Amino acid sequence: MKTHDIVIIGGGPAGLAAAAAARKAGAEDILILERDQMLGGILNQCIHNGFGLHTFKEELTGPEYASRFIRMVEEEQIPCRLNAMVVSITKDKEITYVSREEGLVTIQAKAIVLAMGCRERPRGALNIPGYRPAGIFSAGTAQRLVNMEGYHVGREVVILGSGDIGLIMARRMTLEGAKVKVVAELMPYSGGLKRNIVQCLDDYGIPLKLSHTVVEIHGRRRVEGVTLAQVGPDRKPIPGTEEYYSCDTLLLSVGLIPENELTRGMGASMNPVTSGPRVNDRLETDVEGVFACGNVLHVHDLVDFVSEEAALAGESAAAFVKAQEEAGKAAAEPEGHAVCLQAENGVRYTVPQTLDIRNMRDTVTVRFRVGDVFKDRYVAVYYDDQLISRRKKKVLAPGEMEQVVLKKESFLPYPDVKKITIRTEVE
């Protein structure tokens, strides 16, 4: 069985950034496994601009952003297996994948970086009454059909869900000549970035109906229309609020689910809120030597943050392999002091979930999302019951990822801290 120092599962933006960072950190034997026929992942179909403002200080399209990292990987001569579908990973870091050229292959890794991305929630998860006519697409599928395969998916469109992909497809379908009738959102707030609401809906006069959902799909062979209804605080339709919209296409932008079947299969602990694995400040799961980054860990809104997070995972994997190789030559790693991070009072989750305050880097970025729209709130950080920092935010929204930076020096007065709490507070 062939052994590699680091195997990266996924050749999208997270996997590419992790590979480049691992090589820069000194890792020699790196292999990328990608199930698609090309590197770049979802970015290949994201032909709109807005990528790279943080990473490259310029505005790029998705394929342009991906090509920058593909070039880095090629320049470093990091090997990649395309059309290679990973079917299982064991706790001992044995990876089995299948490809047309090689058949069924099992390899051994010293460290693994999980970068499988996420998938869209399908219609079957929504329980919308009606037949199964043609013309119902997930927003990402429609994006691929239009942008990569040259198909025109519909002329009159209703979009359910106001996530970023749904908002971007409202604009894209309009530019393709379709009439987007309405974007309906179950929640009382949009799940997308504010800039996408402005640039994709407001600029094109497309109405956004919050606290609305599709209660019936009309048509047998092809979608003929949908019925929308307002929902109450319990998210259930309110009788008498139904509205009919004629359309031939329904796009669903109703959430993204991290691709973690392989992660669960190896026995890693999962976070029920993010649907991703639990990780420490080095982005290591509780399976030693297995790291996670990008949308497989938690769904991001900006690819720049994916790349930043993936770079840390790649560096951590390289450091893990180096430490394993030097285990017999060097002194043992200093004893750690792991502290749990808790999300409270409006903060839904944090990534990472644990932090080793003795062996951490000089700074650790903790990312999180809130569970509702809050105005004029403070984001507060506590070490046990001691308030450490408090920062005012005009608006906090679930569609925008937030972050706080914890400094190693801030723990010096609190060497025995048992928990770190991140929460929202009013004045």
Side-chain angles (χ1 to χ4, degrees):
M1 189 188 304
K2 192 166 184 181
T3 299
H4 297 274
D5 286 351
I6 299 174
V7 176
I8 296 169
I9 316 297
L16 294 170
R23 175 56 56 85
K24 195 173 179 181
E28 291 295 329
D29 185 8
I30 304 169
L31 175 66
I32 300 173
L33 297 176
E34 168 54 50
R35 68 183 178 187
D36 207 347
Q37 60 189 356
M38 65 181 80
L39 293 172
I42 198 69
L43 291 180
N44 291 317
Q45 68 187 52
C46 299
I47 63 173
H48 53 279
N49 60 7
F51 301 92
L53 290 169
H54 296 267
T55 307
F56 298 110
K57 310 303 180 194
E58 59 182 305
E59 201 170 30
L60 304 171
T61 65
E64 286 173 333
Y65 187 95
S67 70
R68 299 277 178 104
F69 279 96
I70 292 170
R71 203 175 307 127
M72 290 181 203
V73 166
E74 289 174 345
E75 286 171 356
E76 294 292 344
Q77 297 183 332
I78 298 172
C80 175
R81 300 271 192 280
L82 298 176
N83 298 305
M85 179 76 177
V86 176
V87 293
S88 73
I89 307 173
T90 69
K91 269 199 168 184
D92 298 326
K93 298 188 279 295
E94 280 187 13
I95 300 166
T96 302
Y97 69 90
V98 62
S99 75
R100 186 180 298 170
E101 291 78 17
E102 300 174 273
L104 192 68
V105 182
T106 301
I107 58 175
Q108 178 71 54
K110 294 178 183 176
I112 296 173
V113 177
L114 304 174
M116 293 90 73
C118 58
R119 65 177 182 269
E120 294 181 279
R121 184 172 283 111
R123 178 195 169 177
L126 304 180
N127 295 323
I128 302 171
Y131 293 96
R132 297 173 63 86
I136 303 174
F137 303 90
S138 67
T141 300
Q143 187 181 55
R144 182 181 179 92
L145 289 170
V146 172
N147 292 348
M148 294 186 72
E149 300 182 23
Y151 291 102
H152 189 59
V153 297
R155 295 182 177 85
E156 291 188 312
V157 183
V158 169
I159 299 176
L160 176 61
S162 63
D164 288 314
I165 306 172
L167 298 174
I168 287 163
M169 281 309 293
R171 176 178 63 185
R172 188 75 185 95
M173 295 298 290
T174 302
L175 294 174
E176 283 292 310
K179 171 66 176 172
V180 179
K181 297 285 191 75
V182 66
V183 176
E185 170 58 56
L186 177 71
M187 304 301 284
Y189 50 79
S190 170
L193 293 169
K194 179 68 176 174
R195 75 180 189 198
N196 284 334
I197 298 171
V198 173
Q199 294 173 1
C200 301
L201 299 188
D202 297 351
D203 289 357
Y204 293 88
I206 300 169
L208 171 63
K209 283 184 170 284
L210 300 175
S211 297
H212 279 72
T213 191
V214 173
V215 293
E216 191 171 356
I217 299 170
H218 304 275
R220 287 201 179 192
R221 296 180 64 83
R222 175 84 193 193
V223 174
E224 296 171 2
V226 298
T227 299
L228 297 187
Q230 190 175 348
V231 299
D234 57 358
R235 310 282 181 261
K236 292 182 179 176
I238 300 171
T241 62
E242 294 85 359
E243 272 184 285
Y244 176 80
Y245 286 84
S246 64
C247 61
D248 59 17
T249 304
L250 173 65
L251 300 189
L252 303 175
S253 175
V254 289
L256 299 168
I257 304 167
E259 288 268 17
N260 274 302
E261 283 69 28
L262 294 172
T263 316
R264 292 188 190 92
M266 74 173 79
S269 297
M270 306 299 292
N271 183 321
V273 180
T274 62
S275 298
R278 295 179 60 84
V279 293
N280 60 21
D281 51 297
R282 297 186 302 277
L283 301 184
E284 186 177 20
T285 68
D286 58 4
V287 179
E288 188 182 43
V290 178
F291 302 81
C293 58
N295 283 353
V296 81
L297 181 56
H298 59 136
V299 177
H300 291 65
D301 44 13
L302 297 179
V303 73
D304 302 76
F305 293 158
V306 168
S307 301
E308 185 183 316
E309 192 176 85
L312 173 58
E315 291 165 11
S316 299
F320 176 83
V321 171
K322 188 176 180 183
Q324 294 290 98
E325 290 172 350
E326 296 178 351
K329 310 173 199 172
E333 186 178 337
E335 186 180 348
H337 176 50
V339 179
C340 288
L341 284 94
Q342 294 188 349
E344 285 184 2
N345 199 35
V347 178
R348 292 187 66 228
Y349 69 86
T350 67
V351 172
Q353 284 88 27
T354 62
L355 175 65
D356 184 347
I357 66 172
R358 290 181 190 162
N359 299 317
M360 66 184 280
R361 296 175 168 223
D362 290 339
T363 61
V364 169
T365 299
V366 179
R367 294 197 166 94
F368 63 92
R369 287 186 190 268
V370 293
D372 205 341
V373 177
F374 302 115
K375 294 186 178 179
D376 295 319
R377 287 257 184 147
Y378 289 89
V379 174
V381 179
Y382 288 83
Y383 296 169
D384 290 332
D385 297 322
Q386 182 66 44
L387 176 64
I388 301 301
S389 68
R390 211 161 177 256
R391 177 169 51 101
K392 189 169 186 179
K393 295 282 292 184
K394 291 285 288 180
V395 178
L396 291 163
E400 310 261 353
M401 190 176 289
E402 302 289 339
Q403 67 181 42
V404 294
V405 177
L406 303 181
K407 297 181 179 179
K408 187 172 185 176
E409 62 187 27
S410 69
F411 290 98
L412 293 176
Y414 309 99
D416 300 317
V417 62
K418 292 182 173 58
K419 67 175 180 178
I420 301 166
T421 304
I422 300 176
R423 54 187 312 221
T424 71
E425 296 179 341
V426 294
E427 278 191 86

